[in-house]
Amino acid sequence: MEAFQTASDVFFVLMGAIMVLAMHAGFAFLEVGTVRKKNQVNALVKIIVDFAVSTIAYFFVGYSIAYGVDFLTSASVLSGHTASDGVPAFASSGYDLVKFFFLLTFAAAIPAIISGGIAERARFYPQLFATAILVGLCYPLFEGMVWNNNFGFQDMIETAFGAPFHDFAGSIVVHAVGGWIALGAVISLGVRRGRYTKSGGLIGIPPSNIPFLALGSWVLCVGWFGFNVMSAQSVSGITGLVAVNSLMAMVGGILTALIAGRNDPGFVHNGALAGLVAVCAGSDVMHPIGALVTGGLAGVLFVWGFNQCQAKWKIDDVLGVWPLHGMCGLMGGIACGIFGLEALGGMGGVSFAAQLAGSLSGVVFATIAGFVVYGVIKKTIGIRLSEEDEFDGADISIHKIGAYPEDDLRAS
Protein backbone atom coordinates (compact mmCIF):
# COMPACT_ATOMS: atom_id res chain seq x y z
CA MET A 1 0.00 0.00 0.00
CA GLU A 2 2.87 2.39 0.75
CA ALA A 3 4.39 1.75 -2.67
CA PHE A 4 1.00 2.28 -4.31
CA GLN A 5 0.52 5.55 -2.42
CA THR A 6 3.93 6.81 -3.53
CA ALA A 7 3.31 5.80 -7.13
CA SER A 8 -0.08 7.53 -7.01
CA ASP A 9 1.54 10.72 -5.75
CA VAL A 10 4.14 10.55 -8.52
CA PHE A 11 1.45 10.15 -11.15
CA PHE A 12 -0.71 12.88 -9.61
CA VAL A 13 2.10 15.46 -9.54
CA LEU A 14 3.27 14.42 -13.02
CA MET A 15 -0.21 15.04 -14.43
CA GLY A 16 -0.22 18.42 -12.70
CA ALA A 17 3.13 19.28 -14.27
CA ILE A 18 1.87 18.29 -17.71
CA MET A 19 -1.29 20.39 -17.30
CA VAL A 20 0.73 23.45 -16.28
CA LEU A 21 3.20 22.78 -19.10
CA ALA A 22 0.22 22.95 -21.46
CA MET A 23 -0.63 26.36 -20.01
CA HIS A 24 2.48 27.69 -21.72
CA ALA A 25 0.76 27.02 -25.03
CA GLY A 26 -2.02 29.20 -23.65
CA PHE A 27 0.45 31.98 -22.87
CA ALA A 28 1.79 31.66 -26.42
CA PHE A 29 -1.56 31.83 -28.21
CA LEU A 30 -2.86 34.60 -25.98
CA GLU A 31 0.13 36.66 -27.10
CA VAL A 32 -0.11 35.52 -30.74
CA GLY A 33 -3.72 36.66 -30.91
CA THR A 34 -3.00 40.02 -29.29
CA VAL A 35 0.13 41.19 -31.11
CA ARG A 36 0.24 42.29 -34.75
CA LYS A 37 0.80 39.68 -37.47
CA LYS A 38 4.41 40.76 -37.93
CA ASN A 39 5.19 39.64 -34.36
CA GLN A 40 3.31 36.34 -34.10
CA VAL A 41 6.24 34.02 -34.82
CA ASN A 42 8.33 35.82 -32.23
CA ALA A 43 5.62 35.28 -29.62
CA LEU A 44 5.59 31.53 -30.28
CA VAL A 45 9.37 31.16 -30.29
CA LYS A 46 9.85 33.30 -27.17
CA ILE A 47 7.54 31.20 -25.01
CA ILE A 48 9.02 27.82 -25.93
CA VAL A 49 12.66 28.96 -25.77
CA ASP A 50 12.02 30.81 -22.51
CA PHE A 51 10.73 27.51 -21.12
CA ALA A 52 13.90 25.72 -22.22
CA VAL A 53 16.15 28.36 -20.64
CA SER A 54 14.00 28.32 -17.48
CA THR A 55 14.43 24.55 -17.20
CA ILE A 56 18.21 24.76 -17.32
CA ALA A 57 18.39 27.71 -14.91
CA TYR A 58 15.98 26.15 -12.41
CA PHE A 59 17.50 22.67 -12.58
CA PHE A 60 21.09 23.74 -11.97
CA VAL A 61 20.59 26.82 -9.77
CA GLY A 62 17.07 27.94 -8.92
CA TYR A 63 15.66 24.82 -7.29
CA SER A 64 18.67 24.57 -5.03
CA ILE A 65 18.25 28.20 -3.93
CA ALA A 66 14.56 27.68 -3.16
CA TYR A 67 14.66 24.26 -1.51
CA GLY A 68 18.31 23.38 -0.85
CA VAL A 69 18.13 20.39 -3.20
CA ASP A 70 20.39 19.65 -6.15
CA PHE A 71 20.36 16.78 -8.59
CA LEU A 72 24.11 16.26 -9.00
CA THR A 73 24.10 12.63 -7.98
CA SER A 74 23.41 9.27 -9.61
CA ALA A 75 20.12 8.42 -11.27
CA SER A 76 19.74 5.56 -8.79
CA VAL A 77 19.82 7.94 -5.84
CA LEU A 78 17.51 10.41 -7.61
CA SER A 79 15.00 7.58 -8.08
CA GLY A 80 14.91 6.97 -4.32
CA HIS A 81 17.36 4.14 -3.86
CA THR A 82 19.64 4.13 -0.83
CA ALA A 83 22.67 6.41 -1.09
CA SER A 84 26.22 5.33 -0.27
CA ASP A 85 25.81 6.46 3.35
CA GLY A 86 22.78 4.20 3.75
CA VAL A 87 20.27 7.05 3.92
CA PRO A 88 17.82 7.64 1.05
CA ALA A 89 18.35 11.24 -0.07
CA PHE A 90 15.32 11.35 -2.37
CA ALA A 91 11.78 10.00 -2.16
CA SER A 92 11.06 6.67 -3.83
CA SER A 93 9.76 6.29 -7.38
CA GLY A 94 11.31 9.60 -8.41
CA TYR A 95 8.73 11.71 -6.56
CA ASP A 96 11.22 14.52 -5.99
CA LEU A 97 11.93 14.62 -9.72
CA VAL A 98 8.30 15.12 -10.71
CA LYS A 99 7.93 17.66 -7.90
CA PHE A 100 10.80 19.58 -9.51
CA PHE A 101 9.03 19.32 -12.89
CA PHE A 102 5.81 20.65 -11.37
CA LEU A 103 7.47 23.58 -9.63
CA LEU A 104 9.55 24.31 -12.74
CA THR A 105 6.35 24.96 -14.69
CA PHE A 106 5.48 27.59 -12.08
CA ALA A 107 8.92 29.18 -12.31
CA ALA A 108 8.78 29.25 -16.12
CA ALA A 109 5.52 31.19 -15.89
CA ILE A 110 7.55 34.24 -14.82
CA PRO A 111 9.16 34.90 -18.25
CA ALA A 112 5.95 33.79 -19.98
CA ILE A 113 4.08 36.51 -18.09
CA ILE A 114 6.74 39.12 -18.85
CA SER A 115 6.76 38.16 -22.53
CA GLY A 116 3.26 39.53 -23.05
CA GLY A 117 4.13 42.90 -21.58
CA ILE A 118 7.29 43.52 -23.61
CA ALA A 119 5.96 42.12 -26.90
CA GLU A 120 6.71 43.69 -30.27
CA ARG A 121 9.87 45.62 -29.35
CA ALA A 122 12.19 43.47 -27.21
CA ARG A 123 15.41 41.93 -28.51
CA PHE A 124 15.45 38.14 -28.39
CA TYR A 125 18.72 37.10 -26.75
CA PRO A 126 18.83 39.81 -24.07
CA GLN A 127 15.38 38.63 -22.99
CA LEU A 128 16.66 35.04 -22.73
CA PHE A 129 19.50 36.35 -20.55
CA ALA A 130 16.94 38.07 -18.33
CA THR A 131 14.97 34.81 -18.14
CA ALA A 132 18.04 32.93 -16.88
CA ILE A 133 18.66 35.52 -14.15
CA LEU A 134 15.03 35.75 -13.07
CA VAL A 135 14.32 32.00 -12.97
CA GLY A 136 17.76 31.00 -11.71
CA LEU A 137 18.19 33.64 -9.02
CA CYS A 138 15.41 36.16 -8.40
CA TYR A 139 12.21 34.10 -8.39
CA PRO A 140 13.64 31.21 -6.30
CA LEU A 141 14.67 33.63 -3.55
CA PHE A 142 11.09 34.67 -2.87
CA GLU A 143 9.67 31.23 -3.67
CA GLY A 144 11.90 29.69 -1.00
CA MET A 145 10.94 32.35 1.53
CA VAL A 146 7.22 31.61 1.18
CA TRP A 147 7.10 27.91 0.37
CA ASN A 148 10.19 26.71 2.26
CA ASN A 149 10.46 29.28 5.09
CA ASN A 150 13.92 30.35 3.94
CA PHE A 151 15.47 33.10 6.09
CA GLY A 152 12.72 32.41 8.64
CA PHE A 153 10.30 34.52 6.59
CA GLN A 154 7.16 32.62 7.53
CA ASP A 155 8.21 32.44 11.18
CA MET A 156 8.55 36.22 11.24
CA ILE A 157 5.14 36.71 9.63
CA GLU A 158 3.48 34.29 12.05
CA THR A 159 5.16 35.84 15.09
CA ALA A 160 4.13 39.34 14.06
CA PHE A 161 0.60 38.68 12.82
CA GLY A 162 -0.56 35.42 14.39
CA ALA A 163 -0.61 33.34 11.20
CA PRO A 164 1.83 32.50 8.40
CA PHE A 165 1.47 34.05 4.95
CA HIS A 166 -0.87 31.77 2.98
CA ASP A 167 -0.34 31.43 -0.76
CA PHE A 168 -1.58 28.00 -1.72
CA ALA A 169 -1.05 28.16 -5.48
CA GLY A 170 0.88 31.35 -6.09
CA SER A 171 -1.27 34.47 -6.44
CA ILE A 172 1.76 36.29 -5.04
CA VAL A 173 4.70 33.91 -5.47
CA VAL A 174 4.03 33.35 -9.19
CA HIS A 175 1.55 35.87 -10.55
CA ALA A 176 2.20 39.03 -8.56
CA VAL A 177 5.95 38.46 -8.74
CA GLY A 178 5.76 37.92 -12.50
CA GLY A 179 3.45 40.89 -13.00
CA TRP A 180 5.47 43.37 -10.96
CA ILE A 181 8.74 42.26 -12.55
CA ALA A 182 7.00 42.84 -15.89
CA LEU A 183 6.23 46.42 -14.85
CA GLY A 184 9.95 47.13 -14.57
CA ALA A 185 10.57 45.45 -17.91
CA VAL A 186 7.81 47.37 -19.72
CA ILE A 187 8.89 50.75 -18.36
CA SER A 188 12.54 50.03 -19.12
CA LEU A 189 11.71 49.25 -22.76
CA GLY A 190 9.39 52.20 -23.27
CA VAL A 191 6.32 52.37 -25.48
CA ARG A 192 5.98 50.90 -28.95
CA ARG A 193 6.65 53.31 -31.77
CA GLY A 194 3.41 54.84 -33.00
CA ARG A 195 1.47 53.91 -29.88
CA TYR A 196 0.83 57.54 -28.88
CA THR A 197 0.51 60.81 -30.77
CA LYS A 198 2.89 63.69 -30.07
CA SER A 199 0.21 65.22 -27.87
CA GLY A 200 -0.08 62.00 -25.86
CA GLY A 201 -3.24 60.64 -27.45
CA LEU A 202 -3.66 56.87 -27.61
CA ILE A 203 -3.45 55.27 -31.06
CA GLY A 204 -5.37 52.01 -31.20
CA ILE A 205 -3.52 48.84 -32.19
CA PRO A 206 -6.16 46.10 -32.59
CA PRO A 207 -5.47 42.43 -31.84
CA SER A 208 -4.42 40.42 -34.87
CA ASN A 209 -6.53 37.32 -34.21
CA ILE A 210 -9.40 37.07 -31.74
CA PRO A 211 -9.81 33.26 -32.18
CA PHE A 212 -6.15 32.73 -31.23
CA LEU A 213 -6.58 35.06 -28.25
CA ALA A 214 -9.64 33.08 -27.15
CA LEU A 215 -7.84 29.78 -27.68
CA GLY A 216 -4.99 30.97 -25.47
CA SER A 217 -7.43 31.90 -22.72
CA TRP A 218 -9.24 28.55 -22.93
CA VAL A 219 -5.99 26.56 -22.76
CA LEU A 220 -4.90 28.56 -19.73
CA CYS A 221 -8.27 28.09 -18.03
CA VAL A 222 -8.20 24.32 -18.44
CA GLY A 223 -4.58 24.00 -17.34
CA TRP A 224 -5.25 26.21 -14.32
CA PHE A 225 -7.12 23.38 -12.61
CA GLY A 226 -3.82 21.50 -12.61
CA PHE A 227 -2.07 24.65 -11.41
CA ASN A 228 -4.42 25.02 -8.44
CA VAL A 229 -5.78 21.57 -7.52
CA MET A 230 -2.47 19.78 -7.91
CA SER A 231 -0.64 22.30 -5.76
CA ALA A 232 -1.63 19.85 -3.00
CA GLN A 233 1.30 17.77 -4.39
CA SER A 234 -0.16 14.50 -3.07
CA VAL A 235 -3.26 12.41 -3.66
CA SER A 236 -4.18 12.59 0.02
CA GLY A 237 -4.16 16.39 -0.14
CA ILE A 238 -6.68 16.69 -2.97
CA THR A 239 -9.77 18.71 -2.16
CA GLY A 240 -12.71 19.50 -4.38
CA LEU A 241 -12.93 22.88 -2.66
CA VAL A 242 -9.95 24.09 -4.66
CA ALA A 243 -11.53 22.98 -7.94
CA VAL A 244 -14.90 24.60 -7.26
CA ASN A 245 -13.33 27.80 -5.93
CA SER A 246 -11.22 28.03 -9.08
CA LEU A 247 -14.34 27.52 -11.19
CA MET A 248 -16.33 30.17 -9.31
CA ALA A 249 -13.54 32.73 -9.48
CA MET A 250 -13.13 32.10 -13.21
CA VAL A 251 -16.79 32.69 -14.00
CA GLY A 252 -16.91 35.69 -11.68
CA GLY A 253 -14.06 37.26 -13.61
CA ILE A 254 -15.74 36.54 -16.94
CA LEU A 255 -19.05 38.14 -16.00
CA THR A 256 -17.69 41.30 -14.41
CA ALA A 257 -15.17 41.82 -17.21
CA LEU A 258 -18.03 41.40 -19.71
CA ILE A 259 -19.92 44.24 -18.05
CA ALA A 260 -16.99 46.50 -17.19
CA GLY A 261 -15.37 45.89 -20.57
CA ARG A 262 -18.59 46.55 -22.50
CA ASN A 263 -18.65 43.17 -24.28
CA ASP A 264 -15.04 43.47 -25.52
CA PRO A 265 -13.81 39.90 -26.26
CA GLY A 266 -10.29 40.68 -25.06
CA PHE A 267 -11.58 41.77 -21.67
CA VAL A 268 -13.95 38.81 -21.42
CA HIS A 269 -11.28 36.19 -22.08
CA ASN A 270 -8.73 37.91 -19.86
CA GLY A 271 -11.39 38.35 -17.17
CA ALA A 272 -11.44 34.59 -16.74
CA LEU A 273 -7.70 34.64 -16.17
CA ALA A 274 -7.94 37.57 -13.76
CA GLY A 275 -10.33 35.60 -11.58
CA LEU A 276 -8.08 32.56 -11.62
CA VAL A 277 -5.00 34.63 -10.77
CA ALA A 278 -6.75 36.17 -7.78
CA VAL A 279 -8.10 32.93 -6.31
CA CYS A 280 -4.81 31.00 -6.36
CA ALA A 281 -3.73 32.13 -2.89
CA GLY A 282 -6.92 31.24 -1.06
CA SER A 283 -8.44 28.56 -3.26
CA ASP A 284 -8.05 25.99 -0.47
CA VAL A 285 -9.55 28.10 2.33
CA MET A 286 -12.30 30.28 0.78
CA HIS A 287 -16.00 29.49 0.56
CA PRO A 288 -17.12 29.23 -3.09
CA ILE A 289 -19.14 32.43 -2.72
CA GLY A 290 -16.01 34.19 -1.45
CA ALA A 291 -14.14 32.84 -4.48
CA LEU A 292 -16.90 34.14 -6.77
CA VAL A 293 -16.62 37.61 -5.25
CA THR A 294 -12.84 37.51 -5.46
CA GLY A 295 -12.96 36.57 -9.13
CA GLY A 296 -15.58 39.22 -9.83
CA LEU A 297 -13.48 41.93 -8.22
CA ALA A 298 -10.47 40.78 -10.23
CA GLY A 299 -12.39 41.04 -13.50
CA VAL A 300 -13.26 44.67 -12.80
CA LEU A 301 -9.75 45.43 -11.55
CA PHE A 302 -8.22 44.08 -14.74
CA VAL A 303 -10.42 46.19 -17.02
CA TRP A 304 -9.77 49.31 -14.97
CA GLY A 305 -6.03 48.65 -14.69
CA PHE A 306 -5.60 47.92 -18.39
CA ASN A 307 -7.39 51.11 -19.41
CA GLN A 308 -5.45 53.18 -16.90
CA CYS A 309 -2.13 51.77 -18.12
CA GLN A 310 -2.79 52.42 -21.77
CA ALA A 311 -4.71 55.70 -21.75
CA LYS A 312 -3.77 57.49 -18.53
CA TRP A 313 -0.37 56.31 -17.35
CA LYS A 314 1.11 55.69 -20.84
CA ILE A 315 2.50 52.30 -19.80
CA ASP A 316 2.50 50.26 -23.01
CA ASP A 317 1.89 46.84 -21.48
CA VAL A 318 0.78 45.00 -24.61
CA LEU A 319 -1.22 42.16 -23.02
CA GLY A 320 -1.92 43.96 -19.76
CA VAL A 321 0.20 41.55 -17.74
CA TRP A 322 0.80 44.02 -14.91
CA PRO A 323 -2.92 44.59 -14.30
CA LEU A 324 -3.73 40.91 -14.89
CA HIS A 325 -1.01 39.20 -12.91
CA GLY A 326 0.45 42.03 -10.84
CA MET A 327 -2.64 43.91 -9.65
CA CYS A 328 -5.02 40.92 -9.55
CA GLY A 329 -2.37 38.74 -7.92
CA LEU A 330 -1.85 41.35 -5.19
CA MET A 331 -5.59 41.66 -4.68
CA GLY A 332 -5.94 37.89 -4.47
CA GLY A 333 -3.21 37.55 -1.87
CA ILE A 334 -4.96 40.13 0.31
CA ALA A 335 -8.44 38.70 -0.39
CA CYS A 336 -7.29 35.37 1.04
CA GLY A 337 -7.01 37.11 4.40
CA ILE A 338 -10.63 38.25 4.13
CA PHE A 339 -12.64 35.48 2.47
CA GLY A 340 -10.54 32.76 4.09
CA LEU A 341 -11.70 33.81 7.56
CA GLU A 342 -14.16 31.54 9.36
CA ALA A 343 -16.42 34.55 9.95
CA LEU A 344 -16.97 34.75 6.17
CA GLY A 345 -17.43 31.03 5.68
CA GLY A 346 -13.77 30.20 5.05
CA MET A 347 -11.61 27.50 6.54
CA GLY A 348 -9.74 29.90 8.83
CA GLY A 349 -6.08 29.76 9.78
CA VAL A 350 -5.34 33.00 7.93
CA SER A 351 -4.85 36.58 9.02
CA PHE A 352 -5.60 39.74 7.06
CA ALA A 353 -2.47 41.43 8.43
CA ALA A 354 -0.29 38.45 7.51
CA GLN A 355 -1.73 38.38 4.00
CA LEU A 356 -1.20 42.11 3.56
CA ALA A 357 2.39 41.94 4.80
CA GLY A 358 3.28 38.88 2.74
CA SER A 359 1.62 40.24 -0.40
CA LEU A 360 3.33 43.62 -0.17
CA SER A 361 6.66 41.87 0.46
CA GLY A 362 6.27 40.05 -2.84
CA VAL A 363 5.37 43.27 -4.67
CA VAL A 364 8.36 45.16 -3.28
CA PHE A 365 10.74 42.29 -4.03
CA ALA A 366 9.47 41.84 -7.58
CA THR A 367 9.39 45.54 -8.44
CA ILE A 368 12.99 46.00 -7.34
CA ALA A 369 14.06 42.85 -9.20
CA GLY A 370 12.32 43.96 -12.40
CA PHE A 371 13.83 47.42 -12.52
CA VAL A 372 17.30 46.20 -11.53
CA VAL A 373 17.50 43.28 -13.98
CA TYR A 374 16.04 45.09 -16.97
CA GLY A 375 17.69 48.38 -16.08
CA VAL A 376 21.14 46.77 -16.03
CA ILE A 377 20.53 44.91 -19.29
CA LYS A 378 19.29 48.11 -20.91
CA LYS A 379 22.41 50.01 -19.86
CA THR A 380 24.84 47.25 -20.88
CA ILE A 381 23.83 45.06 -23.83
CA GLY A 382 20.55 46.77 -24.70
CA ILE A 383 17.05 45.31 -24.64
CA ARG A 384 15.16 47.12 -27.40
CA LEU A 385 14.91 46.42 -31.12
CA SER A 386 16.16 49.10 -33.48
CA GLU A 387 13.57 51.43 -35.01
CA GLU A 388 13.88 49.67 -38.37
CA ASP A 389 13.59 46.17 -36.90
CA GLU A 390 10.57 47.18 -34.85
CA PHE A 391 8.92 48.63 -37.95
CA ASP A 392 9.61 45.45 -39.94
CA GLY A 393 8.42 43.30 -37.05
CA ALA A 394 10.19 40.85 -34.78
CA ASP A 395 9.29 37.91 -37.04
CA ILE A 396 11.33 39.06 -40.03
CA SER A 397 14.03 40.95 -38.15
CA ILE A 398 14.79 38.13 -35.68
CA HIS A 399 13.50 34.86 -37.14
CA LYS A 400 13.64 35.69 -40.86
CA ILE A 401 10.16 34.31 -41.51
CA GLY A 402 6.61 35.51 -40.95
CA ALA A 403 3.59 33.69 -39.57
CA TYR A 404 2.14 33.38 -43.10
CA PRO A 405 5.11 32.71 -45.44
CA GLU A 406 2.95 32.12 -48.52
CA ASP A 407 1.38 35.55 -48.12
CA ASP A 408 4.88 37.06 -47.88
CA LEU A 409 5.86 35.38 -51.15
CA ARG A 410 2.78 36.64 -52.95
CA ALA A 411 3.36 40.16 -51.60
CA SER A 412 6.92 40.17 -52.94
Side-chain angles (χ1 to χ4, degrees):
M1 288 301 296
E2 183 178 346
F4 177 78
Q5 180 66 49
T6 301
S8 298
D9 289 342
V10 169
F11 184 75
F12 174 73
V13 176
L14 175 60
M15 290 300 100
I18 292 170
M19 289 182 72
V20 185
L21 172 62
M23 289 176 69
H24 289 264
F27 282 120
F29 277 95
L30 191 70
E31 185 172 336
V32 166
T34 305
V35 299
R36 288 167 286 188
K37 288 182 179 179
K38 62 183 180 179
N39 296 297
Q40 290 181 330
V41 171
N42 182 243
L44 293 168
V45 175
K46 267 193 307 177
I47 298 296
I48 197 167
V49 178
D50 270 336
F51 188 88
V53 172
S54 297
T55 301
I56 299 301
Y58 199 62
F59 183 85
F60 287 103
V61 182
Y63 196 74
S64 180
I65 290 175
Y67 301 103
V69 176
D70 67 69
F71 302 106
L72 304 181
T73 185
S74 71
S76 176
V77 172
L78 292 176
S79 298
H81 297 291
T82 303
S84 58
D85 60 3
V87 179
F90 291 85
S92 61
S93 301
Y95 174 81
D96 289 312
L97 294 177
V98 294
K99 180 181 177 181
F100 157 78
F101 184 9
F102 182 66
L103 292 172
L104 159 69
T105 59
F106 281 50
I110 300 298
I113 290 168
I114 296 167
S115 176
I118 63 175
E120 301 202 308
R121 75 268 202 207
R123 292 173 60 201
F124 186 65
Y125 285 101
Q127 169 55 21
L128 294 183
F129 182 59
T131 292
I133 296 172
L134 293 170
V135 178
L137 297 174
C138 299
Y139 168 78
L141 281 174
F142 191 72
E143 176 192 17
M145 289 166 59
V146 175
W147 287 340
N148 199 46
N149 193 29
N150 291 355
F151 310 114
F153 176 78
Q154 290 286 22
D155 292 338
M156 289 188 290
I157 294 288
E158 186 170 9
T159 299
F161 304 110
F165 173 56
H166 189 88
D167 191 8
F168 179 70
S171 284
I172 300 297
V173 173
V174 179
H175 298 288
V177 166
W180 287 84
I181 289 176
L183 175 64
V186 169
I187 292 177
S188 296
L189 260 79
V191 303
R192 288 170 288 177
R193 303 186 192 280
R195 182 56 167 151
Y196 300 97
T197 64
K198 291 182 179 180
S199 62
L202 180 66
I203 298 176
I205 299 178
S208 61
N209 192 306
I210 296 298
F212 276 167
L213 186 158
L215 174 64
S217 174
W218 271 106
V219 172
L220 283 164
C221 287
V222 172
W224 222 295
F225 288 87
F227 196 99
N228 283 3
V229 174
M230 290 162 172
S231 285
Q233 298 185 26
S234 68
V235 173
S236 62
I238 300 173
T239 168
L241 182 65
V242 176
V244 172
N245 282 345
S246 300
L247 176 67
M248 297 298 280
M250 181 184 78
V251 300
I254 292 170
L255 295 175
T256 57
L258 172 71
I259 297 168
R262 300 180 180 180
N263 304 329
D264 183 284
F267 285 137
V268 171
H269 287 92
N270 277 285
L273 308 182
L276 287 163
V277 164
V279 82
C280 285
S283 56
D284 64 326
V285 294
M286 291 181 180
H287 187 279
I289 296 175
L292 178 65
V293 174
T294 299
L297 292 173
V300 174
L301 179 60
F302 170 71
V303 174
W304 175 84
F306 185 87
N307 288 331
Q308 287 293 114
C309 280
Q310 302 296 331
K312 302 291 185 181
W313 300 332
K314 304 296 188 295
I315 298 173
D316 191 14
D317 182 346
V318 180
L319 268 67
V321 298
W322 177 44
L324 179 63
H325 298 274
M327 293 183 186
C328 294
L330 172 60
M331 188 275 289
I334 296 171
C336 175
I338 300 172
F339 296 108
L341 297 172
E342 289 186 60
L344 292 177
M347 298 286 288
V350 296
S351 157
F352 174 78
Q355 292 306 117
L356 180 63
S359 298
L360 292 177
S361 296
V363 167
V364 171
F365 173 85
T367 303
I368 293 173
F371 278 101
V372 169
V373 170
Y374 284 94
V376 170
I377 292 176
K378 179 180 178 180
K379 292 292 185 182
T380 52
I381 61 178
I383 189 69
R384 175 125 188 189
L385 288 172
S386 68
E387 184 173 356
E388 181 180 357
D389 286 345
E390 186 178 339
F391 178 80
D392 292 339
D395 293 359
I396 297 299
S397 62
I398 296 174
H399 308 288
K400 312 306 178 186
I401 191 169
Y404 307 93
E406 288 184 302
D407 291 347
D408 295 337
L409 285 173
R410 282 193 291 268
S412 62

